[in-house]
Amino acid sequence: MESILEPATKMQQSDRGIRLSFSTSNDGLMLKKIQAVHVPDGRAIDVRPLLHIVEDILSFAAPGGDAIVETGKQATGTEAFQHQTNYQTNITDMLETLSFLIDRISIEMARKCSETMEEHATTMSILSMVSNYPWDAKLVIALSAFAVNYGEFWLLAQCYNSNQLAKNLAILKQVPGILQRSTMLKSQFDTIKDLITAMLDIAKCLVEFKEIPSNYVTEDFAAAVSAAMDHIPVAIYWTIRSMLATASQITGLSGSENEFLSSLESWELSSLVHKLSSMHSHLVGLLAICHKQIDERKFIEAYQNLQYLFNAAQIDNSKVLKALINPKDDPLPLVDGANKKRVSVDVLRKRNVLLLISDLDILQDEVVILQQIYEESRRQSNSLDQNPYELVWLPVLDSSVSLSKIKQRKFENLAATMTWFTLHHPSLLNRAVFRFIKEEWRFEQKPIVVVLDPQGRVTCSNAIHMMWIWGNLAFPFTIAKEDALWKAETLTLDFLVDGIDPVILKWISEERFIFLYGGEDIEWIRNFTHTVKTVARACGIAMEMVYVGKKNPKENIRRNMAIINEEKLSHCLPDITAIWYFWIRIESMWNSKHQLGKADENDPITQEIMTLLSYDGSEGYGWALLSKGSTEFTRAKGTTFLTCLSDYDLWAEDVQTKGLVLAIHDYFLLNPTPHHCNQLVLPGTADRLPEMVTCSECQRTMERYILYHCCDE
């Protein structure tokens, strides 16, 4: 067997009579010969527009039984015409330079295919013609020349029945012979189609290598680039060789005497398909390594750029917001929740911007309360030139994981409920932004609100606790404002319930006795409310009761509310959202204090907050708080309070001298529970929790545990 690397000088025979040799050693020798005719002159050329046109030609002219039988369909498609027209403006100047060379190569291919040819010599001849061009340009130029001949042939075939000029030319080129045998030749056409696909894959891969930014070509992936450069010249050789083989087979089929490819010819085409596919797979693997390392460098650069922007002085917030919200240069990355139209990030320029950062598990209750706060700010700003702040939802999802259809629908449903600005799609946040939000702003699972002033400076890394506690009173949501609000605050009943239920605020203003009570056990609730009513009648005092449920209310709390209302046991907060809001405010009070570094157990507000949280977190029947007006109150666990009320006769006389609240409070002091078991469940993560917490009842240091909790009720 004669090697394809040796010229066929001893015998004049077609290459179809020579078996192809695909050995690695031969490719190694071939590499040296190919590199010997590679003499680039430094010219820069972007061949992607040319490759697009070539791909269109080869796609529309692809052989196949259906494409030939249904003549005329591909040639008259307006969509195809418009698609190709898009490239014309970019390619006109290039073709003025390359058209003569493309024509020379196409003539060389056509001439050799009609002769007894030596494909290796022809391939090397074509490589010599493009010796001054970069590697990717060599292949695309050669592929363009192939597409000219190939496209002309199939254009005649497709127009044969609809255009007399095409029909006459087709007859001269013996095209009708192929048309008549199209069904019998389908398997051969399919093999040719596969080979053309493999050629295009190699060309596109080489263009991608060329488009790797030179500033990222460093020692980090020098090995991958070096390996690619060892394979690219050989891949180009075999792709051009495949063009010649394809052209030769089409020319051979044009003769009326040739109905089938010989077994050797079929093996040759199939072997070339396999060889190019293997080369492509290897190059794609090397390209993936390069892209991975480039992406890593870009990721580091983007992350460092975010750090720099947030630490450097800015004229306004434009650069910060574009780096954060629009790193992918989408012209309209946001959706205006008011009208659901896409808008530019420029709508936020020089504004106070609140970034609502969450995953897709943000609670509907959170959205509802934020909606109320946001709409209130809009109503308050009617007398102002503009709104005091803009709210933007950034859905933070791992960009390395594609968005499933379920999550896509969940995102769309959430965005539809928001009247503020939302990100058009979670994928607009790149990996660097994802890491920045997680590490710099310490986002984990619970939503946070990061506040940026008009210059893009972070004035508060999480203002959501301020918003839950004070709403728009906390504007501009700075640390200084939060500190000032706490200095002016005392823990009163109206502060605990705020504007959650106007009925309670009315009772407070009327100086009524009010019981707030919570828990899950409906039998304890029935017993407690019955006992309160009995004591109220005995004292001759009107007492109001309000059920506030439990933190993270579930279906059992909803059932309790229904029973309480149906049996008229007491008043309830208006709905589940109101119950959630009552508890999230108390939890936020602790978070806010802790965030400011002022969660001191000697602080009376902190003490009461932790007591209420321990009541809610402890096992048992429930708890209750009795208040008169706004400032006078006492509280205890459910069993303790129930025992106190049952022992009414023991402290009844004190009501006349001390008043109801103080009489009950003194009873608690004189009758401490013999034992207790309090659990305080604090929000947050282990690194943010206090090292030591004292029990609200006995003042001893509580044992510390880490609780992992999941409840899908």
Side-chain angles (χ1 to χ4, degrees), residues 81 99 105 111 159 232 240 252 263 267 340 411 422 613 618 652:
F81 176 77
S99 59
I105 296 173
R111 184 174 64 85
C159 297
I232 285 174
I240 296 175
S263 59
W267 174 86
K340 303 306 177 185
F411 163 74
T422 65
L613 289 174
S618 300

Side-chain angles (χ1 to χ4, degrees), residues 399-641:
S399 58
S400 64
V401 180
S402 60
L403 204 63
S404 66
K405 290 183 179 180
I406 294 176
K407 287 189 175 181
Q408 176 68 30
R409 283 196 298 270
K410 192 172 184 180
F411 163 74
E412 292 170 355
N413 292 338
L414 279 170
T417 65
M418 299 176 179
T419 58
W420 49 83
F421 292 104
T422 65
L423 204 62
H424 169 60
H425 195 271
S427 62
L428 291 176
L429 294 187
N430 64 22
R431 194 160 57 100
V433 175
F434 180 79
R435 177 186 168 188
F436 186 87
I437 289 173
K438 298 270 285 187
E439 294 188 4
E440 300 294 328
W441 294 336
R442 306 181 77 176
F443 169 74
E444 290 176 355
Q445 289 180 315
K446 292 193 174 184
I448 64 173
V449 173
V450 178
V451 182
L452 306 180
D453 70 8
Q455 285 72 46
R457 294 172 298 200
V458 177
T459 57
C460 183
S461 61
N462 190 9
I464 199 165
H465 309 307
M466 274 189 273
M467 298 184 77
W468 293 150
I469 300 168
W470 294 288
N472 291 304
L473 288 175
F475 180 78
F477 306 107
T478 61
I479 299 297
K481 180 67 173 181
E482 185 176 20
D483 191 32
L485 287 169
W486 274 123
K487 287 178 179 177
E489 199 66 73
T490 55
L491 190 66
T492 59
L493 185 59
D494 53 355
F495 178 57
L496 281 179
V497 299
D498 193 50
I500 297 175
D501 190 344
V503 173
I504 302 175
L505 295 180
K506 181 176 179 293
W507 290 341
I508 292 172
S509 66
E510 294 171 351
E511 293 287 316
R512 295 196 189 190
F513 290 99
I514 304 170
F515 274 101
L516 292 187
Y517 72 97
E520 295 181 280
D521 190 294
I522 191 62
E523 291 305 320
W524 177 85
I525 290 171
R526 287 189 175 108
N527 196 5
F528 174 77
T529 53
H530 173 74
T531 305
V532 168
K533 291 174 182 178
T534 300
V535 171
R537 286 192 295 270
C539 294
I541 299 173
M543 296 185 189
E544 308 295 346
M545 292 179 284
V546 182
Y547 178 63
V548 296
K550 193 172 179 65
K551 185 171 67 175
N552 299 322
K554 304 295 182 181
E555 188 57 36
N556 57 339
I557 300 299
R558 195 187 303 273
R559 286 195 298 267
N560 285 352
M561 293 174 69
I563 293 170
I564 291 168
N565 288 325
E566 183 181 353
E567 298 180 7
K568 295 181 172 56
L569 300 179
S570 74
H571 181 70
C572 292
L573 289 181
D575 50 39
I576 284 291
T577 298
I579 287 179
W580 172 87
Y581 190 33
F582 173 82
W583 285 105
I584 200 65
R585 286 186 74 253
I586 293 175
E587 189 176 276
S588 294
M589 292 174 196
W590 186 90
N591 266 316
S592 176
K593 285 276 188 178
H594 186 62
Q595 190 168 275
L596 288 171
K598 296 185 177 182
D600 185 355
E601 293 175 4
N602 295 321
D603 172 44
I605 294 179
T606 302
Q607 283 184 335
E608 292 302 326
I609 292 168
M610 294 177 71
T611 297
L612 289 176
L613 289 174
S614 70
Y615 286 168
D616 184 72
S618 300
E619 297 178 2
Y621 295 110
W623 60 275
L625 180 151
L626 172 63
S627 172
K628 182 185 180 185
S630 178
T631 58
E632 187 181 357
F633 65 86
T634 187
R635 73 286 184 281
K637 283 187 174 182
T639 51
T640 302
F641 226 124

Side-chain angles (χ1 to χ4, degrees), residues 248-276:
S248 179
Q249 303 302 349
I250 292 293
T251 301
L253 288 172
S254 298
S256 58
E257 74 281 0
N258 295 317
E259 294 194 3
F260 300 100
L261 298 178
S262 69
S263 59
L264 185 59
E265 290 170 332
S266 297
W267 174 86
E268 178 184 1
L269 293 184
S270 298
S271 298
L272 285 169
V273 171
H274 174 73
K275 185 169 186 69
L276 291 191

Side-chain angles (χ1 to χ4, degrees), residues 626-672:
L626 172 63
S627 172
K628 182 185 180 185
S630 178
T631 58
E632 187 181 357
F633 65 86
T634 187
R635 73 286 184 281
K637 283 187 174 182
T639 51
T640 302
F641 226 124
L642 198 54
T643 301
C644 170
L645 295 176
S646 300
D647 290 344
Y648 168 71
D649 293 339
L650 299 179
W651 49 269
E653 293 182 2
D654 294 339
V655 174
Q656 301 300 321
T657 57
K658 299 178 180 179
L660 179 63
V661 176
L662 186 57
I664 291 177
H665 182 72
D666 286 348
Y667 173 88
F668 292 149
L669 294 177
L670 294 172
N671 299 275

Side-chain angles (χ1 to χ4, degrees), residues 9-73:
T9 56
K10 295 181 180 179
M11 296 179 61
Q12 292 296 322
Q13 58 178 344
S14 169
D15 257 10
R16 298 189 194 102
I18 304 174
R19 285 184 175 271
L20 296 176
S21 174
F22 295 158
S23 69
T24 304
S25 60
N26 282 338
D27 282 352
L29 294 172
M30 189 184 303
L31 175 61
K32 294 180 180 179
K33 292 186 177 183
I34 299 168
Q35 289 175 333
V37 294
H38 178 56
V39 191
D41 56 11
R43 71 184 74 188
I45 178 171
D46 177 14
V47 294
R48 185 171 284 279
L50 182 58
L51 180 59
H52 279 309
I53 288 186
V54 170
E55 188 174 6
D56 280 350
I57 293 172
L58 297 178
S59 173
F60 299 143
D66 295 337
I68 296 171
V69 173
E70 300 178 23
T71 57
K73 286 190 177 181

